[in-house]
């Protein structure tokens, strides 16, 4: 069975949004090479960097993708008005929970925009969410 991952990216410019879409095999391509770095995903390969040994997930996000943690004011319907996190697909929790998980225990960290998180989690995700997948569930 071949699994295909699809990625849709919307890039906003000063004039109009630009829509880009692509599909790649789950293995990162026919050659088996690792996929290129994504702005919305931190991979296990990135987390294996020696400079991140002993670091928590929250600190790894601060170092690798600080924009994940930027406040996004004005999200309509936001309950609590803060960016939330989900670990292994469980209910949303505060970002503080990511400070209790070692980055070495994680296979992927993904950022969901306010609209994506709102669709997945309802109004609690209306400011966006950081989704963490630990090695235990893979």
């Amino acid at each position: 069975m071949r699994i295909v991952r699809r990625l849709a990216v919307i890039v906003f410019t000063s004039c109009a949004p630009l829509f880009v879409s692509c599909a790649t095999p789950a293995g990162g391509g026919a050659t088996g090479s690792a996929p290129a770095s994504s702005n919305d995903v931190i991979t296990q390969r990135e987390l294996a960097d020696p400079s991140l040994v002993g670091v928590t997930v929250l600190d790894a996000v601060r170092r690798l993708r600080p924009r994940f943690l930027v406040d996004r004011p004005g999200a309509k319907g936001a309950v609590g008005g803060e960016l939330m996190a989900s670990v292994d697909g469980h209910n949303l929790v505060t970002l503080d929970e990511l400070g209790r998980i070692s980055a070495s225990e994680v296979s992927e960290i993904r950022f969901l925009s306010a609209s994506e998180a709102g669709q997945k989690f309802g109004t609690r995700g209306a400011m966006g969410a950081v989704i963490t997948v630990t090695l235990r569930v893979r």
Side-chain angles (χ1 to χ4, degrees):
M1 182 168 109
R2 184 174 176 172
I3 298 173
V4 176
R5 293 183 186 168
R6 296 192 186 275
L7 173 65
V9 178
I10 301 173
V11 178
F12 289 95
T13 64
S14 59
C15 299
L18 171 67
F19 295 91
V20 180
S21 179
C22 66
T24 60
T31 61
S33 61
S37 175
S38 167
N39 288 333
D40 292 331
V41 178
I42 300 173
T43 64
Q44 186 176 5
R45 184 176 184 181
E46 290 176 275
L47 294 168
D49 186 301
S51 69
L52 298 175
V53 171
V55 169
T56 68
V57 170
L58 189 55
D59 288 334
V61 170
R62 284 181 178 134
R63 291 183 191 183
L64 297 172
R65 302 286 193 293
R67 73 167 192 79
F68 283 16
L69 306 175
V70 173
D71 285 335
R72 290 157 184 84
K76 265 190 160 178
V79 176
E82 65 181 313
L83 183 66
M84 301 296 281
S86 174
V87 179
D88 294 336
H90 296 289
N91 291 334
L92 290 175
V93 294
T94 64
L95 288 178
D96 294 339
E97 292 297 316
L98 299 182
R100 296 182 178 99
I101 303 169
S102 172
S104 64
E105 299 174 25
V106 172
S107 64
E108 179 180 279
I109 303 167
R110 181 176 297 271
F111 174 76
L112 296 182
S113 68
S115 63
E116 293 168 321
Q119 288 177 349
K120 184 172 178 95
F121 298 106
T123 57
R124 287 202 68 215
M127 294 299 282
V130 177
I131 307 301
T132 302
V133 179
T134 65
L135 294 170
R136 297 182 294 253
V137 297
R138 287 266 163 143

